Amino acid sequence: VLVGNIADIERALVGVDRSDVDIEIVEATEVITMDDHPVQAVRRKKNNSINVALNQIREGKAEAFISAGSSGAVMTASLMILGRVKGIDRPAIASYLPTIGKRTLVLDLGAVTDPKPSNIVQFALMGQVYSERVLGIENPTVALLSNGEEPSKGNQFVQTVHPLLARTPGLNFIGNVEGRDVPMGTADIVVTDGFTGNVVLKTAEGVVTMLTTILREEFTSTIPRKLAALVLRPGIKNLRNKLDYAEFGGAPLLGVNGAVVVAHGRSTSRAIETAVRVAVRSIEHDLSGGIADRIVRAHDVIEEAESQSVEAAP
Amino acid sequence: VLVGNIADIERALVGVDRSDVDIEIVEATEVITMDDHPVQAVRRKKNNSINVALNQIREGKAEAFISAGSSGAVMTASLMILGRVKGIDRPAIASYLPTIGKRTLVLDLGAVTDPKPSNIVQFALMGQVYSERVLGIENPTVALLSNGEEPSKGNQFVQTVHPLLARTPGLNFIGNVEGRDVPMGTADIVVTDGFTGNVVLKTAEGVVTMLTTILREEFTSTIPRKLAALVLRPGIKNLRNKLDYAEFGGAPLLGVNGAVVVAHGRSTSRAIETAVRVAVRSIEHDLSGGIADRIVRAHDVIEEAESQSVEAAP
């Protein structure tokens, strides 16, 4: 089901062989732009494409939603229209970061900038269920992002969260990891607050851009270097594929009642294809049901976490 | 003045031409190891090399201190022996991160994991004076690390700090920057809490390691690629130089009464040479005096900042 401006969609489909696929087009008369305030736009532009698409799920006409639009609007509308999984207070945005060898799932990436300790416990459980059910990783390892490996390291928030994660039943918690562990692939899942997660993701993207920019300059500075770079082109292409965030197919919004995947605004068709696969697996393996079960099993720790407050900076 | 175990120092100096340099050796009978708890070790091992070296400054026998030892111990001992610059509540560790083109000074990198808003204002002023006096940058730009560029973005702490920085007299504050702006060199100085700063620095280091590891694998996988890589070797060496954190010569500890530079534990001789130059410039251009002056001029904003508390996560 494609949702949006009908003329735009028809134009995009010109020349597409639709003989094998049954594509339905649903009209949405309004559009949320990147200049709109996400929360206000979702409420004011009732008939925007994100709302209309999510209503397809609520009405049972679709099972999952993929959007390359405003992630803030997707989050707001998903909460409003689909609601949360039972036991989840705040949904989180998760994404894979490239590492040496395997990938690391990091969450939250910006949905919750000032979480409570109990939110982080829920993030860890949601990340675990996603890794198991969608990625097929058995008993994935979970780590807490900190400024040192020792349990005593971290700001006050991290020091409060650490013992809670250590006591969460069924969680393969391996303790704190540092920033460098994210690209090294030390843990399958790294949990952090949405502020730090966003900064980490964007720093990693920035360093990749910086490095490839410098490499391009160096490899094209003389004729011999240009020729040598030609020989290495497949190797450079492999590097680029390993690092291409678009290949990862978008970030799942975990904790809402339904499969929602936020894709990058500059997604390639390959990225959207991957996002579709992620959405399909999320439905087939009952991601939301799995999360609800896991939350019930961790009820005692979450209740304990809710009673903990972190002292503010004085 | 070299401070430490005399036999170790003499062994390191074998074969060094000392005819042009007047090297004095001062004995320290104890050593703080990386396994020691920094704060406890500084107090218990009274005669450790860090304490002995800092006492050289207090006694007027030296003007600056460079250490490649435990940064926690250097910080604790510096505070104890040298004290703080008037008006500075918490010293910060600053360091240059490689960017496209120029370098960005980031602080704090781990000295203060739970700062108050007033600490960040002080960090910004210290970074400014350091950039001006030691790096010779005129009117350096200062940015606040956040999860979005708009002033409304950020966690509660960042949202509290932003307007304070905007009102700090004499500060060339350009607003929020995101994680990707650090390696892009958007600002001369980026301020953040020590927890986030540490995570950013280590993420950047980790991504560089990941990329160079993948490149090495790709460029040595076949004979033709190995030959082509030979031609590109100078380009790859340039890349490595641009990214080599050791080339940057250590991180100044800003806000203590004296010039203190923390060098990496694996510093090359080149890195130590750069650290010495940084220390010399800090003394010649009266870094501590400059910081004290700037703090006085920003007195009203800092007082206002001190009255602000950030609400803790509930």
Side-chain angles (χ1 to χ4, degrees), chain B residues 9 28 63 79 85 94-95 117-118 139 160 164-165 174 187 214 221 224 240 242 253 271 280 290 297 302:
Chain B
I9 293 174
E63 290 182 90
L79 270 171
V85 170
S95 186
S118 57
N139 198 22
T160 305
L164 294 167
L165 289 175
I174 60 165
I214 298 175
S221 62
R240 211 176 286 147
K242 280 179 187 164
L253 179 61
V280 169
R297 278 169 51 196
I302 292 171

Side-chain angles (χ1 to χ4, degrees), chain A residues 117 155-165 305 308-311:
Chain A
N155 54 17
Q156 290 174 25
F157 182 74
V158 161
Q159 289 181 36
T160 306
V161 169
H162 186 107
L164 293 166
L165 290 175
Q308 307 235 359
S309 70
V310 176
E311 240 178 86

Side-chain angles (χ1 to χ4, degrees), chain A residues 53-300:
Chain A
L54 286 164
N55 276 319
Q56 292 284 307
I57 298 182
R58 191 156 67 174
E59 292 161 14
K61 293 175 188 161
E63 290 182 270
F65 173 46
I66 296 157
S67 172
S70 154
S71 55
V74 170
M75 206 162 58
T76 306
S78 298
L79 270 171
M80 202 173 77
I81 296 169
L82 304 180
R84 291 164 300 172
V85 170
K86 192 169 184 301
I88 294 294
D89 298 309
R90 302 288 300 270
I93 295 176
S95 185
Y96 279 90
L97 264 66
T99 68
I100 301 173
K102 56 178 183 175
R103 292 167 185 184
T104 296
L105 187 76
V106 181
L107 73 167
D108 170 52
L109 293 174
V112 192
T113 51
D114 287 284
K116 298 183 291 180
S118 57
N119 296 141
I120 303 287
V121 175
Q122 294 173 14
F123 295 171
L125 292 166
M126 293 196 291
Q128 185 190 26
V129 177
Y130 183 81
S131 280
E132 286 169 0
R133 299 206 173 189
V134 178
L135 267 285
I137 297 171
E138 238 178 279
N139 198 22
T141 52
V142 177
L144 176 63
L145 189 60
S146 185
N147 61 327
E149 288 175 13
E150 305 83 356
S152 62
K153 286 280 187 165
N155 54 17
Q156 290 174 25
F157 182 74
V158 161
Q159 289 181 36
T160 306
V161 169
H162 186 107
L164 293 166
L165 290 175
R167 281 200 297 278
T168 302
L171 204 64
N172 188 3
F173 181 58
I174 60 165
N176 290 346
V177 290
E178 302 187 47
R180 72 166 65 89
D181 291 298
V182 175
M184 301 306 275
T186 308
D188 292 313
I189 300 155
V190 170
V191 288
T192 185
D193 66 276
F195 179 84
T196 309
N198 184 283
V199 168
V200 162
L201 174 74
K202 288 181 180 165
T203 298
E205 286 179 352
V207 172
V208 168
T209 305
M210 173 189 71
L211 277 160
T212 49
T213 305
I214 297 175
L215 264 186
R216 195 179 307 121
E217 282 166 12
E218 290 293 340
F219 286 7
T220 56
S221 60
T222 67
I223 302 285
R225 285 195 191 176
K226 277 187 190 169
L227 292 173
L230 269 181
V231 177
L232 291 171
R233 193 182 275 177
I236 295 168
K237 199 169 167 235
N238 283 345
L239 171 74
R240 210 176 284 148
N241 285 346
K242 280 180 188 163
L243 301 175
D244 189 358
Y245 290 77
E247 296 276 320
F248 296 180
L253 179 61
L254 300 175
V256 294
N257 255 327
V260 175
V261 181
V262 183
H264 200 287
R266 288 174 308 197
S267 287
T268 59
S269 53
R270 167 99 187 258
I272 296 294
E273 188 189 335
T274 315
V276 171
R277 284 185 208 287
V278 164
V280 168
R281 284 190 67 93
S282 299
I283 295 299
E284 284 178 351
H285 296 270
D286 188 17
L287 179 63
S288 299
I291 289 173
D293 288 350
R294 208 64 60 94
I295 292 290
V296 167
R297 278 169 49 196
H299 173 267
D300 291 352

Side-chain angles (χ1 to χ4, degrees), chain B residues 114-148:
Chain B
D114 287 284
K116 298 183 292 179
S118 57
N119 296 140
I120 303 287
V121 175
Q122 295 173 13
F123 294 172
L125 293 166
M126 293 196 292
Q128 186 189 24
V129 177
Y130 183 81
S131 281
E132 287 169 0
R133 301 207 171 187
V134 178
L135 267 286
I137 298 172
E138 238 179 281
N139 198 22
T141 52
V142 177
L144 177 63
L145 189 60
S146 185
N147 60 327

Side-chain angles (χ1 to χ4, degrees), chain B residues 137-279:
Chain B
I137 298 172
E138 238 179 281
N139 198 22
T141 52
V142 177
L144 177 63
L145 189 60
S146 185
N147 60 327
E149 286 174 15
E150 305 84 355
S152 62
K153 287 280 187 163
N155 54 17
Q156 290 175 23
F157 182 75
V158 161
Q159 288 182 36
T160 305
V161 169
H162 185 107
L164 294 167
L165 289 175
R167 279 201 298 279
T168 302
L171 204 65
N172 188 3
F173 181 58
I174 60 165
N176 290 347
V177 291
E178 301 187 48
R180 71 165 64 88
D181 292 295
V182 176
M184 301 307 272
T186 307
D188 293 313
I189 301 155
V190 171
V191 287
T192 185
D193 66 276
F195 179 83
T196 309
N198 183 285
V199 167
V200 162
L201 173 74
K202 288 181 180 166
T203 298
E205 287 179 349
V207 173
V208 169
T209 305
M210 172 188 72
L211 278 159
T212 48
T213 305
I214 298 175
L215 265 186
R216 194 178 309 123
E217 282 167 11
E218 290 294 340
F219 286 7
T220 56
S221 62
T222 67
I223 302 284
R225 285 195 192 176
K226 276 187 192 171
L227 291 173
L230 268 181
V231 177
L232 291 171
R233 194 182 275 175
I236 295 168
K237 200 169 166 236
N238 283 345
L239 171 73
R240 211 176 286 147
N241 285 346
K242 280 179 187 164
L243 301 174
D244 190 356
Y245 291 77
E247 296 277 321
F248 296 179
L253 179 61
L254 299 175
V256 293
N257 255 327
V260 175
V261 181
V262 183
H264 200 287
R266 287 174 310 198
S267 288
T268 59
S269 51
R270 168 98 186 258
I272 296 294
E273 188 189 335
T274 315
V276 171
R277 283 185 209 287
V278 164

